[in-house]
Structures are given as structure tokens and as C-alpha cells.
């Protein structure tokens, strides 16, 4: 079994830069010096999480790929940033803006604005990134001023030098989606409409020519298209209207491919409007195939728009995008200090046992009480003893190659589409290419067990035994049972489950699958034991801050847990969990499995017998949602159930 490498993240940054042939000076310009980047890549420098996230963004990746391990000071800032993002448009936004400004904005604007010098001081980098976030949040708030976006952009680039957008300078940088959005908003709020149209289209071309992954590109591309079409709303030329239609179609397809809904209602409305305008312009004249198909597709688009819009309205979520909060949500973060305490509690270590041979017992006490942070070498040793990955930032697999992460995503997509033989081939490639860390073994081992069971090559009992062995690479089952049996006792009994125990993402996936195996066996007591524990782990905490970043895992848990509760006749709780997951998906513009939760509640409510008309209506809604985001074969299953 491989020892964790101390610099997987730095090597990942290096390899992404090399594979995408990104010039060093373009990557770091406005952020940090080349020397700082080389130090991070070599593992000689431990940068702050803000710079790490900024580099990830500039490499064309979305921050959702990564979990962050933070010191308690950084974690407190991360919490406030997320609270501030969530408050925008609500009564407490100004209080949180002032709180962030008071705690983290230490300099005047002119002191931290990007100038043409090569910054090597990471504190200066951090100050500019904090100022950029503050100005961005302020620009999205009700207290927005016209130049806030422009000033925010100026923290990391000089594209708006002399108060004008310089498209030539844009290509001197490799900007993140976050930074590009600042440019777009600054242009949108300018009064020079014709110039703005040209510049927005130039940014569309910039995104097309660069290396953004789908997760990152999807965030901004749909918005760009909507803005471009709004700026051209008075156009009457059929060729121009057809071009706008094509842009909308491409944006919608990108959203569907990535299972997202950013600006999708606006895009549908624009497509419907363009179709009507073209119909009025041609007035029955000869139509080419493109225009005929456009007009024909209008009814399908209108149906998709109405079904999706209705899902938002039913849950009290705005159907239109009223701010850019979704762009600035960061990956999941955890406080190292809290993890040490929670993991120690889970595995049954005393502070003396955990510190033995590593540091003073008092060091662990101060760390857990947020009175100090562990030195990096001590943190690595403590994490090793607690069976945790020794990394400050890592993705769903711990690897230094982005190709491995892309292959893993493809593998899970194939598993979801029941293309198991192809998924197994990719799995075997990954097993031979990635480090043999315990964390990676759990992620890929679970995938292999799922595939082999679905192919009938192992039984459910064999799958269960293998999953338990996988989990016990890092967490003995007896530790979990001890916590479950004693959760109402001890000095921490009144604290949330998440404050008392900590699981890695890989362990959570294993626990969900173990619960699923017990459900197949018909052992609902043990199934409930695992699912209830995980449900409380994600939901029953005062901060409720981890659920946004863990939506994918929670969705998987919600599907299985609500299904089990329905099978046991606990319909009310089953519906509540399904509704919670559906609302979370819509809030985060990830409505991939909303159809499943609708069908869960349909089954629980026994509508097939009580109200056949409503039963058929909901089935058709489920089928339509599948056509948008899932698979036509799944949609066909619902269509066959109609009575």
C-alpha cells in the first residue's frame, strides 16, 4: 500500500499546466510570481487556500472538483464567505458585508490593486484575493456601485486599464471563470451598448479557444449567450436571429450534458421568442430545413421550460437567475482542528495516544480548542495515525494527473448508464495508473464491487463482505457501532454528529453502499442504522454548511434512504428527505435527479389508486425531466407506466 505523497496537489498543478501547454507567465500574471508557482509545484511552498483555488480556476477547472483542509482561521473565513454568498438579496447581507470587511479587508483599495510588478509576497496575494471577493459580493448586493465589478477585476488583472476593456490584454492572461464573470458584469453595466456587444462576443470566443473543463465552462457560457441575445433583442435580420438561436442551442446542450440549469429558463424563453419572430418575418414563405426544425422544436422547448419552471416555483426558488452566487460557491471545506477532534473521537484515541511520538499532548488539546494550529509535519503524522489523506487539497481521487479525474468521471457516467463493461475497462486503467493510497482503493474498490455485482459475477453477500473490508482499511466497523450505541452519552452528546465524527468522502460512499447491501438482504434495521447515521451527519448540524458542497453524496444517500423508508411504510419522512434533496439540487442548479424524488413521493402517496389523472401528470413530468437531463430510455420507463 502506497504512502501518501506530500505534494500530490503541487504535481497536479504542474501536470495540468504542462498538458494544456499553458504559459507560466500567463497563468500567474496578476496573481503571484513565477517563483511562487514553481515553489507550489515543487512542494517547497505551502500556499494559502485562496491562491490554491485561484490557480485551480485559472487552469480551467471548477472548484467543485476539490475538497479543502483548512486551518481554523481559514475555515472561519470560508464559513463567512459562504454565509455572505447565501445572504445576498436577503435582509442580513449588509451586516455580513460589513463583518467581512471589518475582519479581512486590511488595506485601502489603492494599496492592493494589481500593478505591473511581480508579487512574491503571499500575504499581498491573499489581501488582493480577499478584496476581490469583497468587491464581488458588494457588487451583487443591494449596495452595489457601478464600478465595483471593474474594481474587483482590477485586483488580479489590468484588462480595464484606462477605464476601458482591452480585448488584446485578455489574451495575455489565463483567467478563471470567476475573473471572466467580473469582466462580463463590468461590461454589462457600461453604457456603451455596441462596444459591449463586441466585447461579450469576444469573451465567448476566448472561452471557446481556451481549455476550460465542462464544469467550469458551463457556469459562464450560458450567461454569456443570454447577455449577448439581450443586447441584440431588437435585431430583425433572420441570419442574425438564426445565429442567436444556434448559440442558445449550444448553451442548452452544454447544460444538459453537465446536468446543470444555469440560465436555462432564460435560454428557453429566448429560443421561443426567436422562433416567433422568425415565423412573423417569413410569413409563410419558403423555409429551409434549419428554420423548419427551429419552429418544430418550439413546442418541445416550451414543454421543457414549463416543467422545469414549475419545479422551481413549487419549492419557492426563483426560476430566473437573479445573481451570480452559483459562480462563487467554493468546494467543500473542513477545519483541520475539528477533524482531529472528531476523528480521534470516532477511532477511540485519547489525546495522549494520538500525540505519542509526534507532539505534546497539550498540542492536540490546543489544536482541538482552536487555540493553535498543527505544524505541517505534525499534521501529516497525526493524519496518518487517524488514517486520513495527508493533503490540504484533493479531489475525488488523489492523483497528480487530471486525465485520471476525467476518466473517473467518465467511469461513473457509464455506470449510471448501465454500460458496465466499458466502465470496468476504464476502472482497470485507473487501477494501474493512480497511486495505491487507501483513499483511492476505497473509491475504485467500491466502483468495482458495484460493477461486478451488477454483472452477476459476485453475490450481494460477497459484495457486502468486500465493502466492509474496504471500509476497514481506515475505519474499523466496531468504531462505528460504538459511536451509534453511545451517541447519547459522553461529554459531546449534545453536539451535532458532524462535530463528533468525521468520514472521508470515500468512506461515506462505502457506508452508503454497505447500507444498500443490507437493504437488498431485507435487513432494514441495519440499513436504517447506516443511513440514519449518515443523514444526521449531513443534516443535523447547526451550521448546515457542508451540505452544499456534498450535494452529490447527499443525493445518493437521499435516493436510497427515502426509498427504504417508503418500503418500510414511513412515507412522511421518506417524502421529506426526497423533497429536501430535490430542493437542494434546484438551489444549486443541478436538477439531474429531481425526477426520481417526484416518483418516490408519487409511489408513497399511492396516487395510482387515489388520483389516476394526477398520477399520469406526474409520470409525464418525470419523463420530461428525464428527456432534459437523464436518458430517453429512463423516460420511456415512465411513459410505459401511464394508465
Amino acid at each position: 500500500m502506497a504512502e501518501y505523497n506530500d505534494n500530490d496537489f503541487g504535481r497536479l498543478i504542474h501536470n495540468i499546466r504542462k498538458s494544456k501547454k499553458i504559459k507560466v507567465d500567463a497563468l500567474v500574471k496578476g496573481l503571484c510570481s513565477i517563483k511562487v508557482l514553481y515553489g507550489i509545484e515543487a512542494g517547497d511552498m505551502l500556499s494559502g487556500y485562496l491562491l490554491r483555488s485561484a490557480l485551480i480556476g485559472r487552469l480551467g477547472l471548477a472548484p467543485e472538483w476539490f475538497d479543502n483542509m483548512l486551518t481554523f482561521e481559514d475555515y472561519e473565513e470560508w464559513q463567512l464567505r459562504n454565509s455572505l454568498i447565501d445572504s445576498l438579496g436577503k435582509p442580513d447581507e449588509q451586516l455580513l458585508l460589513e463583518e467581512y470587511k471589518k475582519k479581512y479587508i486590511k488595506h485601502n483599495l489603492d494599496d492592493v490593486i494589481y500593478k505591473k510588478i511581480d508579487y512574491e509576497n503571499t500575504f499581498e496575494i491573499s489581501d488582493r484575493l480577499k478584496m476581490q471577493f469583497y468587491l464581488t459580493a458588494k457588487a451583487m448586493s443591494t449596495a452595489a456601485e457601478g464600478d465595483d465589478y471593474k474594481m474587483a477585476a482590477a485586483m488580479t488583472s489590468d484588462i480595464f486599464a484606462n477605464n476601458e476593456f482591452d480585448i488584446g490584454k485578455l489574451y495575455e492572461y489565463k483567467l478563471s471563470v470567476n475573473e471572466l464573470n467580473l469582466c462580463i458584469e463590468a461590461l454589462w453595466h457600461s453604457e456603451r451598448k455596441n462596444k459591449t456587444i463586441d466585447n461579450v462576443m469576444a469573451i465567448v470566443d476566448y472561452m471557446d479557444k481556451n481549455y476550460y473543463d465542462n464544469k467550469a465552462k458551463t457556469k459562464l457560457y450560458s450567461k454569456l449567450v443570454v447577455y449577448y441575445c439581450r443586447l441584440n433583442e431588437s435585431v430583425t435580420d433572420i441570419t442574425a436571429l438564426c445565429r442567436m438561436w444556434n448559440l442558445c442551442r449550444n448553451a442548452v446542450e452544454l447544460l444538459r450534458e453537465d446536468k446543470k440549469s444555469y440560465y436555462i429558463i432564460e435560454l428557453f424563453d429566448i429560443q421561443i421568442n426567436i422562433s416567433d419572430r422568425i415565423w412573423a418575418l417569413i410569413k409563410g414563405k419558403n423555409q429551409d430545413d434549419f428554420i423548419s426544425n427551429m419552429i418544430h422544436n418550439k413546442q418541445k422547448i416550451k414543454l421543457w421550460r414549463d416543467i422545469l419552471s414549475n419545479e422551481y416555483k413549487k419549492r419557492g426558488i426563483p426560476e430566473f437567475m437573479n445573481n451570480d452566487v452559483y459562480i462563487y460557491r467554493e468546494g467543500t471545506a473542513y477545519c483541520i482542528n475539528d477533524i482531529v477532534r472528531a476523528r480521534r473521537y470516532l477511532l477511540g484515541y485519547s489525546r495522549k495516544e494520538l500525540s505519542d511520538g509526534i507532539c505534546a499532548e497539550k498540542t492536540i488539546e490546543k489544536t482541538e480548542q482552536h487555540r493553535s494550529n498543527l505544524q505541517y509535519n505534525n499534521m501529516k503524522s497525526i493524519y496518518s495515525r487517524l488514517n486520513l489523506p495527508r493533503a490540504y487539497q484533493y479531489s475525488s481521487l488523489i492523483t497528480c494527473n487530471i486525465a485520471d479525474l476525467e476518466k473517473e468521471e467518465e467511469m461513473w457516467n457509464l455506470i449510471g448508464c448501465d454500460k458496465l463493461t466499458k466502465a470496468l475497462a476504464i476502472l482497470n486503467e485507473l487501477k494501474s495508473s493512480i497511486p495505491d493510497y487507501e483513499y483511492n482503493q476505497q473509491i475504485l474498490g467500491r466502483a468495482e464491487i458495484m460493477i461486478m455485482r451488477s454483472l452477476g459475477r459476485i453475490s450481494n453477500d460477497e459484495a457486502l463482505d468486500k465493502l466492509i473490508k474496504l471500509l476497514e482499511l481506515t475505519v474499523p466497523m466496531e468504531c462505528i457501532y460504538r459511536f451509534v450505541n453511545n451517541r447519547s452519552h459522553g461529554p459531546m452528546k449534545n453536539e451535532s454528529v458532524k462535530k463528533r465524527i468525521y468520514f472521508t468522502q470515500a468512506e461515506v460512499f462505502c457506508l452508503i453502499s454497505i447500507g444498500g447491501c443490507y437493504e437488498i438482504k431485507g435487513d432494514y434495521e441495519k440499513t436504517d442504522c447506516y443511513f440514519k447515521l449518515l443523514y444526521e451527519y449531513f443534516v443535523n448540524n447547526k451550521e448546515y454548511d457542508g451540505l452544499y458542497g456534498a450535494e452529490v453524496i447527499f443525493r445518493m444517500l437521499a435516493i436510497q434512504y427515502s426509498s427504504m423508508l417508503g418500503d418500510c411504510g414511513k412515507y412522511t419522512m421518506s417524502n421529506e428527505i426526497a423533497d429536501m434533496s430535490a430542493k437542494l439540487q434546484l438551489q444549486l442548479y443541478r436538477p439531474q435527479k429531481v425526477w426520481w424524488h417526484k416518483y418516490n413521493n408519487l409511489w408513497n402517496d399511492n396516487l395510482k389508486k387515489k388520483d389516476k389523472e394526477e398520477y399520469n401528470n406526474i409520470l409525464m413530468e418525470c419523463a420530461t425531466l428525464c428527456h432534459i437531463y437523464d436518458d430517453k430510455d429512463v423516460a420511456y420507463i415512465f411513459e410505459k407506466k401511464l394508465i
Side-chain angles (χ1 to χ4, degrees), residues 14 76 141 190 192 250 261 303 351 435 457 504 522 572 578 584:
H14 173 81
E76 286 175 358
S141 76
S190 77
R192 300 177 64 181
N250 293 341
S261 61
L303 174 64
R351 285 174 177 156
R457 298 180 188 177
T504 66
T572 300
L584 183 63

Side-chain angles (χ1 to χ4, degrees), residues 63 243 253:
R243 184 189 188 200
E253 288 308 306

